[in-house]
Amino acid sequence: MNIHRILLISTAFLFAPREVTGSILNRNSKLCTSSDSCWPDSPAWIQLNASVSGHLVRSLPAAAPCHDPYYDADACAIASKSWGDSIWRSNQPGGYQDTAWENGDEPCYIDQPRNVTCQQGLVPIYTVAAESVQDIREAVKFAAKYHLRTRIKGAAHEFLGRSSGEGSFGIQTIKLKGITFNDTFVPDGCDATSQATVTVGAGEHFYDLNKQCDARRVVAVTGTSNTVGAAGGWLLGGGHSSLSPLYGLGVDNVLEFKVVTSDGQVRIANECQNPDLFWALRGGGSGFAVTTSATYKTHPYITSVLGLHMVINTTSDIYPTFLKTYAMLQPTLSDKGFSGYTSSSAPTTSMDLLQYNSDGNITKANMTFAPLFDLAAKNPDKMQISTLFGIVPSYFSIFPNSTEEGGAPLIIGSRLFPRSMFESEEQSEALARFFAQNNLNTTWHLVGGGKVNEPSPSDMGLNPSWRNALHHILIADSWESDTPIPERNAKRKRLTDNVQKMAAALVPNMGSYVNEADRGEPNWQTTFWGDNYARLLDIKMKYDPTGVLTCEKCVGYDVFGS
Ligand SMILES: Cc1cc2nc3c(=O)[nH]c(=O)nc-3n(C[C@H](O)[C@H](O)[C@H](O)COP(=O)(O)OP(=O)(O)OC[C@H]3O[C@@H](n4cnc5c(N)ncnc54)[C@H](O)[C@@H]3O)c2cc1C
């Protein structure tokens, strides 16, 4: 039995019928949650369930079947076996990749005993597990009618908690599948030259999109993950990829969205229809509408990818010098066509870099890293490098698995870094010193530069800092299911403090990538959207005038709350 598909009628006891009061009439009141008297009564939920063909579920945290009062031995066995499976988590109406945003600070973890009562945490109380655009329309109309705190959930990879919320109503889009290619696509209503495209349902994962593109011998810009949603939060926030220096961000590649707006209408957003909404959906983040599909440009097949995996161990005294040397190497790496990811936490730094359409000359590629090899050669007792090069025949080859690991808590914060930072010896030294002195666990995303820097900062709702960015650098922390709440709060505060200190010390004029950012950002409007925020807010007010699709730290949160 699937614990999440409990019929409403059997759970009605949890929510005694309540009279719907002024919230329907007063559009400016706070969004309605399950603890408010405006929360819909049982007949209303039953009516909604009928209007969405029985797709309304009582959503619970993913470990619920392993705990009282929801214990179910068979479902618990499945949950235990599937716990770390990211695709399984996406499919659960109450499952999230990052348990910090599933459970909040309430218990319902897989590794806790059955008699630890499962709490709802941040999982929406009821969720429409939509199977069609019509289900989405009904769900949105219901949310608007009752002015509900509403959360849209796709592949559930969220780092800021925007797809979950205490006492909320959920709309799950993961079942909206479909990948269709078109060699002569023209955006609806436009008089434009046709292009080769792929249209992707909101519930598709990157692995399946990449697999189908590979079979078609084309490439779409996708994130470096098998299981992030291919047309959900990734795209709405910007969508970086190791292909971005070559082909731009996700938002630079999308030609058209199909969405349901807060009035329940299906709309097309492209350069010719609802162009203001199209502008906002490209980087303005969540809360403008529910995306049901997106159409991307496709690119020529990639026939050779050089991959480099390098692990560098350093003693603490040479670590800052190594980091400075590596920082100063970034413009060269970018110019030679490398992109990818570096994790650094003293004493170990690990790089996974890619060079597309490589000529396969490993010796030449190796020479790019000469400054690091020179430093190691001069300091053999303090710095060791191990390197693995490989060449694979396609973009899809770098995605060997259809799923990946999820189900752990992670908090992150970030800033975008301009190329000029890495061109300056003084600033590279400052960066290295700051990371080393503060003992930070950093991940460097070399996904900017090139095509990412070509569009004008005001071309779309995206954070303008991207147009000047070479790197997106994250700092991160996590905890265990038994970490006491005060310790978690201390970690959250330390992360926010470190992000603010990093920004002030190194990049005071740059923003943060909204999809991989700290929910604690104090000046979030400017940090996530810079000068584009005012226009984004105008568009939000036009398409979601009662703020029913608003989430925390999303456009309009300052007006509507969440
Ligand atoms: C393992 C992992 C790898 C990642 N790799 C990358 C990467 O390579 N590049 C990158 O840029 N980012 C990456 N990210 C970050 C990713 O972009 C964000 O976590 C993003 O928010 C995930 O979107 P989602 O739809 O999967 O998640 P969800 O939690 O489902 O949604 C995230 C946000 O988007 C909204 N949303 C989702 N679907 C819809 C929809 N159909 N309509 C309207 N709103 C919707 C939600 O309401 C929420 O606000 C990664 C994250 C993880 C966990």
Side-chain angles (χ1 to χ4, degrees):
M1 169 192 152
N2 182 344
I3 185 96
H4 302 298
R5 293 195 68 87
I6 300 167
L7 277 179
L8 279 168
I9 199 83
S10 67
T11 55
F13 71 93
L14 288 173
F15 303 97
R18 291 170 184 147
E19 199 181 329
V20 177
T21 56
S23 73
I24 291 182
L25 303 175
N26 181 3
R27 299 295 174 186
N28 294 323
S29 62
K30 104 182 205 336
L31 291 156
C32 181
T33 70
S34 62
S35 58
D36 298 322
S37 61
C38 49
W39 188 248
D41 59 14
S42 292
W45 289 111
I46 288 167
Q47 205 179 346
L48 172 64
N49 192 33
S51 73
V52 295
S53 312
H55 299 146
L56 183 67
V57 295
R58 168 74 176 91
S59 30
L60 294 165
C66 299
H67 294 277
D68 295 329
Y70 307 109
Y71 188 77
D72 176 316
D74 291 345
C76 177
I78 294 172
S80 303
K81 186 167 147 266
S82 316
W83 189 251
D85 178 346
S86 180
I87 295 282
W88 178 82
R89 303 195 72 79
S90 295
N91 289 337
Q92 305 309 301
Y96 292 80
Q97 309 304 322
D98 185 339
T99 53
W101 299 115
E102 179 176 317
N103 303 106
D105 285 335
E106 293 188 344
C108 195
Y109 291 100
I110 201 76
D111 58 359
Q112 290 172 326
R114 170 180 170 172
N115 65 0
V116 174
T117 304
C118 175
Q119 305 285 343
Q120 187 73 27
L122 300 174
V123 172
I125 309 291
Y126 287 124
T127 293
V128 171
E131 296 194 10
S132 65
V133 173
Q134 186 57 25
D135 285 352
I136 305 261
R137 295 185 67 196
E138 294 299 333
V140 168
K141 282 192 272 180
F142 184 83
K145 177 176 176 189
Y146 290 94
H147 200 48
L148 300 178
R149 173 182 285 173
T150 304
R151 295 293 182 262
I152 320 300
K153 179 170 100 80
H157 279 66
E158 175 63 2
F159 284 121
L160 276 84
R162 297 169 299 175
S163 50
S164 58
E166 195 180 340
S168 61
F169 167 59
I171 303 176
Q172 190 189 22
T173 58
I174 203 69
K175 292 182 183 166
L176 295 186
K177 302 292 188 193
I179 296 174
T180 342
F181 294 90
N182 184 345
D183 286 338
T184 54
F185 177 85
V186 177
D188 200 87
C190 290
D191 181 14
T193 313
S194 69
Q195 297 188 62
T197 58
V198 58
T199 297
V200 185
E204 292 289 352
H205 298 272
F206 280 140
Y207 179 83
D208 297 307
L209 174 58
N210 287 325
K211 187 176 178 186
Q212 292 211 26
C213 284
D214 193 67
R216 183 91 178 188
R217 294 196 67 82
V218 293
V219 161
V221 170
T222 62
T224 305
S225 157
N226 300 299
T227 61
V228 168
W234 174 82
L235 174 61
L236 296 169
H240 66 70
S241 163
S242 57
L243 285 172
S244 291
L246 209 53
Y247 296 134
L249 298 167
V251 287
D252 299 325
N253 283 272
V254 67
L255 298 176
E256 184 170 287
F257 289 89
K258 286 211 173 76
V259 299
V260 175
T261 41
S262 67
D263 54 2
Q265 294 303 305
V266 176
R267 290 177 206 273
I268 286 174
N270 60 31
E271 290 288 6
C272 311
Q273 290 190 54
N274 301 304
D276 50 358
L277 184 58
F278 186 53
W279 185 90
L281 291 171
R282 286 176 296 159
S286 314
F288 290 91
V290 185
T291 304
T292 58
S293 70
T295 300
Y296 295 103
K297 288 178 220 174
T298 55
H299 299 278
Y301 198 67
I302 286 175
T303 51
S304 168
V305 187
L306 185 142
L308 158 80
H309 178 64
M310 191 181 275
V311 178
I312 301 182
N313 277 299
T314 48
T315 55
S316 54
D317 56 335
I318 203 169
Y319 182 67
T321 310
F322 152 68
L323 271 189
K324 174 186 163 189
T325 310
Y326 187 51
M328 294 189 69
L329 196 54
Q330 300 307 307
T332 307
L333 290 179
S334 172
D335 292 345
K336 293 197 182 287
F338 281 98
S339 60
Y341 313 92
T342 299
S343 303
S344 188
S345 178
T348 304
T349 297
S350 167
M351 303 163 197
D352 285 293
L353 300 176
L354 300 156
Q355 197 182 36
Y356 291 109
N357 295 321
S358 146
D359 62 6
N361 187 331
I362 289 178
T363 312
K364 198 171 85 189
N366 218 9
M367 279 168 59
T368 316
F369 298 86
L372 298 183
F373 292 122
D374 289 349
L375 188 63
K378 283 185 198 139
N379 299 276
D381 301 336
K382 297 181 175 183
M383 180 171 164
Q384 293 87 39
I385 303 182
S386 68
T387 313
L388 199 62
F389 278 100
I391 294 178
V392 292
S394 66
Y395 179 60
F396 183 52
S397 311
I398 65 174
F399 298 89
N401 302 307
S402 59
T403 190
E404 60 200 330
E405 195 67 21
L410 186 68
I411 51 170
I412 58 177
S414 68
R415 278 295 180 275
L416 293 156
F417 283 69
R419 181 180 169 115
S420 58
M421 177 106 209
F422 305 98
E423 288 171 336
S424 150
E425 184 171 355
E426 196 187 332
Q427 289 184 54
S428 294
E429 187 168 338
L431 177 146
R433 205 178 329 112
F434 183 85
F435 289 168
Q437 278 174 358
N438 291 286
N439 201 19
L440 296 182
N441 174 356
T442 58
T443 307
W444 306 27
H445 294 65
L446 181 57
V447 290
K451 287 280 177 204
V452 175
N453 296 160
E454 284 183 10
S456 148
S458 59
D459 277 359
M460 55 188 82
L462 181 78
N463 191 337
S465 288
W466 269 111
R467 300 314 185 190
N468 186 30
L470 181 65
H471 255 291
H472 158 51
I473 299 186
L474 301 179
I475 56 182
D477 206 344
S478 68
W479 52 75
E480 303 299 326
S481 58
D482 60 356
T483 303
I485 310 300
E487 207 178 306
R488 296 181 195 189
N489 288 338
K491 281 171 178 275
R492 289 176 173 121
K493 181 172 180 325
R494 192 161 56 241
L495 182 94
T496 300
D497 289 349
N498 278 332
V499 172
Q500 297 310 306
K501 274 199 285 179
M502 172 173 83
L506 303 177
V507 277
N509 300 318
M510 295 292 280
S512 173
Y513 174 38
V514 64
N515 278 352
E516 293 177 323
D518 174 23
R519 166 108 155 219
E521 280 290 350
N523 303 312
W524 55 274
Q525 298 98 321
T526 311
T527 303
F528 296 157
W529 290 291
D531 287 348
N532 285 340
Y533 188 77
R535 185 170 172 202
L536 284 167
L537 186 57
D538 284 348
I539 297 168
K540 165 80 177 175
M541 300 305 275
K542 175 175 169 188
Y543 288 94
D544 184 17
T546 66
V548 75
L549 298 177
T550 312
C551 35
E552 189 157 334
K553 304 276 164 92
C554 300
V555 172
Y557 173 60
D558 40 359
V559 176
F560 299 109
S562 78

